[in-house]
Amino acid sequence: MLLVLTGCSPLYKSQTYLPEDVPETWPGSVDIDRLPVTKNLLDLFEEKQLKILVKEALDNNPDLRATAHRLRGASFLIHETRSKLLPHVNASFAERRDNQGIDGRTGKRRLSHTDTLSLGISWEIDIWGKLADEYNASKQDMAAREQLYLHARDALAARIIQTWIHIIGLKRSVTIQQERLAVLEHIQKLLTKRYTRGLENPDEISTATSRVKIAQADVSAEQTVLLREKRAMEILLGRYPKGILSFSATLPEVQPPPVHTPAAVLLNRPDIQAAMAKAEAARLQADSAEKARLPELNLSGQLFREAASLGNLGSATSYWNIVGSVLQPIFDGGRLQAIARAGHTEFQAALMDLRGAVLQAFKEVADGFDVEQDYRIQVQALEVAAAESEKSARYYTARYRQGLDSIQNLLIAREQEMSVKNRLNQAVTGRLSNRVDLALALGIGLTDNRSSIQ
């Protein structure tokens, strides 16, 4: 499949393929038929509270609201370029006093007084389409801004979902660390009792105490990270960062995102749409700069009345004139030619930006597939490891209580159990977060972002 972006005008023609080796399908390792079909990022999960928070962030996030205001302001500026295509009409009033010298008969200075009321019209006739190109370029630039706004909305929603997942993962991690601390404190107490009976040496007590203090430090560090993440979520929501958000201890079920063909993915991604619109705007600006070197046709006219006093303007005779003019730039020191060349260079740069965005999009999708596959393997392996470590911990606990094994072996088994639990929690959390990234990479946002650029 070839993606073609073509710019064509009587003065300038460019055709670029982006890129030549776009695949028609994704790698065979992706089981597309088994993945769900959805068009919305919020359809990937069923958590109602999370959907409410996403809506709150979209309504109140300061950065997104600032972007929306700037987008609205930019929409007003389109009228400025459109106005160049229309005639300009102006009304004016002038009062003039002229010194006509000395009157030979009276010896007094002669003054004339004239009041003029006029209505003027001027119009640059866009015979080459230069002004139309400028207007269409401004519309394409506005389209790019709109797509970037959609991209910002999607990114904000994704951050809310991922922060939610991360916070719940941190809560689970704190629970695991607290459980580990409780185990170490229990073992420390057992060792202390055995020491008082003369069954343990002081080195064992020191080692156990050291492990307890390290576990306490780990719990404190995890709790601090959790609190900071809550504040980060509150900032995203537009709230004061108090760190008091409450969350469930259950991770949401985030389904794998739907997978479309590579070409459809590009059309769905707002950042690609924005890059396409910017490239088209640059092409139109380059064409307009070339046409500025051609003859310019202007039409102007004036309707006016003159009278010796303001009160006589109503009964004064009306006069009019119409002037047509053609302006051909002959010598300007190469200014127009330099502007035209700069426009063509900017167009080529925009095409390279588009190409880079396309390649980055494919990389993000490929990375997302690889990470999903990697986490699938990790989760499966760690689930087995967690089950086996629990069995091992139960086995050594029973043997220790029966006096058949040492407390060191029990400690190793429980430490292994806690470590595997924590790694499994991190893998599950990372897998869910990656699915959100993969959804964005595949063009799945809050809305269907496909649009045709006119």
Side-chain angles (χ1 to χ4, degrees), residues 362-387:
F362 287 143
K363 178 184 180 299
E364 290 174 1
V365 174
D367 288 346
F369 286 151
D370 289 343
V371 173
E372 172 70 19
Q373 178 74 2
D374 175 53
Y375 275 129
R376 183 181 66 82
I377 296 172
Q378 285 191 44
V379 170
Q380 289 177 351
L382 290 171
E383 284 176 343
V384 174

Side-chain angles (χ1 to χ4, degrees), residues 69-268:
H69 285 303
R70 293 188 179 98
L71 179 64
R72 188 164 181 261
S75 67
F76 297 137
L77 298 179
I78 293 183
H79 297 287
E80 189 269 335
T81 54
R82 182 177 179 273
S83 66
K84 296 178 181 180
L85 291 165
L86 304 175
H88 290 184
V89 180
N90 300 290
S92 66
F93 172 78
E95 181 178 357
R96 187 174 71 248
R97 293 177 180 269
D98 295 327
N99 181 6
Q100 297 183 341
I102 304 299
D103 190 329
R105 293 179 298 173
T106 62
K108 296 181 180 181
R109 185 178 301 276
R110 292 185 301 174
L111 298 174
S112 67
H113 181 276
T114 306
D115 291 329
T116 304
L117 180 65
S118 65
L119 183 68
I121 182 172
S122 60
W123 185 20
E124 180 181 348
I125 302 176
D126 192 26
I127 56 176
W128 311 114
K130 175 176 73 75
L131 300 179
D133 285 343
E134 291 181 5
Y135 174 51
N136 290 327
S138 66
K139 291 199 297 183
Q140 291 297 326
D141 184 66
M142 186 63 193
R145 291 171 179 262
E146 291 173 348
Q147 291 296 327
L148 290 176
Y149 173 72
L150 292 178
H151 185 61
R153 290 179 75 244
D154 293 345
L156 175 60
R159 282 195 64 189
I160 293 294
I161 299 169
Q162 290 175 319
T163 304
W164 171 282
I165 293 170
H166 192 203
I167 287 175
I168 295 178
L170 285 171
K171 288 185 65 177
R172 290 157 62 98
S173 180
V174 168
T175 301
I176 293 171
Q177 294 292 347
Q178 289 173 337
E179 184 179 350
R180 173 172 171 263
L181 175 59
V183 169
L184 293 174
E185 288 176 339
H186 178 67
I187 291 176
Q188 182 191 33
K189 291 178 181 178
L190 290 177
L191 289 173
T192 302
K193 288 181 180 179
R194 289 172 61 84
Y195 174 72
T196 59
R197 297 173 186 172
L199 301 176
E200 295 289 349
N201 57 57
D203 291 340
E204 294 292 341
I205 301 297
S206 298
T207 301
T209 302
S210 175
R211 286 174 173 168
V212 167
K213 294 305 179 182
I214 292 174
Q216 290 175 346
D218 290 341
V219 170
S220 177
E222 290 287 345
Q223 289 175 334
T224 300
V225 173
L226 175 60
L227 187 60
R228 291 178 62 185
E229 200 69 10
K230 286 184 178 181
R231 292 196 185 103
M233 172 70 95
E234 289 167 336
I235 290 294
L236 292 175
L237 296 173
R239 300 184 187 179
Y240 183 83
K242 297 180 179 179
I244 60 174
L245 279 174
S246 60
F247 295 86
S248 67
T250 304
L251 286 168
E253 291 288 337
V254 179
Q255 298 297 323
V259 181
H260 304 291
T261 62
V265 166
L266 294 182
L267 292 178
N268 277 335

Side-chain angles (χ1 to χ4, degrees), residues 264-280:
V265 166
L266 294 182
L267 292 178
N268 277 335
R269 286 183 55 133
D271 56 335
I272 300 298
Q273 289 284 337
M276 292 175 65
K278 287 181 179 179
E280 181 65 7

Side-chain angles (χ1 to χ4, degrees), residues 307-333:
S309 64
L310 183 61
N312 293 330
L313 282 176
S315 59
T317 302
S318 297
Y319 301 92
W320 60 270
N321 61 62
I322 297 178
V323 178
S325 62
V326 177
L327 175 65
Q328 170 62 61
I330 296 177
F331 178 76
D332 61 359

